[in-house]
Amino acid sequence: LLAAAASALREAAPERARRLEVECAMHSVYLPVLPVDIGPRTAALAAAVERGSVAEKSLRAQLAALDAAVGMRPAVEVAELALLTLQDGQLLAEFRGAGWAGFHCALATLINCERLDECDEWLGRREELATRIGARPELRGLVAHRTRIARVRGDLAAVVDEARSALQEEGAFRCGIAGPLAVAQLVFALVKRGELDEAEDVLSLHGFAEG
């Protein structure tokens, strides 16, 4: 039924169908299990959409993130691909949809490739823009990247401080995946510091003690 509906949509409104395909591809990286065809599907879409568009930059940022995660290409090469998608500032200004996901894919790629100073620079720009337009969910989400950067740098105290700050606000203002990511970083840092009871308490408090 879904296949038939998708086929009908492609015939009736091909541009709208393509936008939905891009959105599905970009957000499938947040599924509990990554689709096995996500790489080829993303690459095919990147080749099919308009060159230089937000959709193309977003898809190429996701390809870079996938490459960085599996380590099949040199980190220098992958990081440069991510930086290229950010270069003209289009993704920087996107706060929803594929562009939002693309921007965060590019940041994740830079962290995985240990290009932390450049990631800091783009994070700062995004935080400044989000503050100016009042995008509170985005500011909370950016903390997840801040905690990862601190973790890669080995600054466990900063990881704990940033994660606790994010989780304090999460109680009154939920913002998607930011909370679980903050819990993950906080527990990692507490375990590394030998604070195992505290780590268990954090897991219990936020509903992750089972499963």
Side-chain angles (χ1 to χ4, degrees), residues 71-95:
M72 295 296 289
R73 300 171 67 182
V76 171
E77 182 181 326
V78 176
E80 290 303 323
L81 289 175
L83 288 168
L84 191 61
T85 68
L86 295 171
Q87 194 172 50
D88 66 359
Q90 267 191 303
L91 294 186
L92 178 67
E94 293 289 325
F95 282 82

Side-chain angles (χ1 to χ4, degrees), residues 36-89:
V36 294
D37 67 337
I38 183 61
R41 184 152 52 95
T42 301
L45 281 170
V49 298
E50 181 184 353
R51 287 185 61 84
S53 64
V54 168
E56 189 205 22
K57 290 183 177 70
S58 300
L59 291 162
R60 297 207 179 280
Q62 179 161 288
L63 286 172
L66 293 169
D67 281 340
V70 299
M72 295 296 289
R73 300 171 67 182
V76 171
E77 182 181 326
V78 176
E80 290 303 323
L81 289 175
L83 288 168
L84 191 61
T85 68
L86 295 171
Q87 194 172 50
D88 66 359

Side-chain angles (χ1 to χ4, degrees), residues 103-117:
F103 180 82
H104 285 277
C105 278
L107 292 187
T109 301
L110 294 176
I111 295 170
N112 281 340
C113 295
E114 298 190 13
R115 299 286 284 269
L116 304 183
D117 290 343

Side-chain angles (χ1 to χ4, degrees), residues 2-34:
L2 284 172
S7 178
L9 182 60
R10 287 191 195 97
E11 291 179 10
E15 285 304 314
R16 186 178 180 190
R18 179 60 53 76
R19 286 198 301 272
L20 287 172
E21 285 180 316
V22 171
E23 292 285 341
C24 286
M26 290 303 304
H27 288 88
S28 61
V29 296
Y30 297 106
L31 293 172
V33 178
L34 201 64

Side-chain angles (χ1 to χ4, degrees), residues 96-177:
R96 63 180 182 177
W100 172 86
F103 180 82
H104 285 277
C105 278
L107 292 187
T109 301
L110 294 176
I111 295 170
N112 281 340
C113 295
E114 298 190 13
R115 299 286 284 269
L116 304 183
D117 290 343
E118 286 140 313
C119 191
D120 267 335
E121 179 185 347
W122 284 101
L123 262 174
R125 294 183 190 181
R126 184 75 158 195
E127 286 167 342
E128 181 181 343
L129 182 55
T131 300
R132 191 161 68 242
I133 67 175
R136 282 184 67 199
E138 183 68 7
L139 288 169
R140 292 297 92 205
L142 291 172
V143 173
H145 293 299
R146 288 279 181 213
T147 56
R148 289 190 64 212
I149 289 172
R151 192 186 78 180
V152 174
R153 284 181 169 145
D155 188 350
L156 297 181
V159 174
V160 172
D161 290 344
E162 292 278 12
R164 287 198 186 283
S165 174
L167 291 169
Q168 282 176 355
E169 186 154 342
E170 180 76 3
F173 189 83
R174 300 194 64 80
C175 43
I177 65 170

Side-chain angles (χ1 to χ4, degrees), residues 168-207:
Q168 282 176 355
E169 186 154 342
E170 180 76 3
F173 189 83
R174 300 194 64 80
C175 43
I177 65 170
L181 288 174
V183 170
Q185 301 298 334
L186 177 55
V187 169
F188 174 89
L190 292 172
V191 170
K192 282 291 186 181
R193 298 203 311 192
E195 300 174 25
L196 303 185
D197 290 342
E198 179 67 14
E200 286 186 345
D201 289 344
V202 170
L203 287 173
S204 297
L205 179 63
H206 295 283

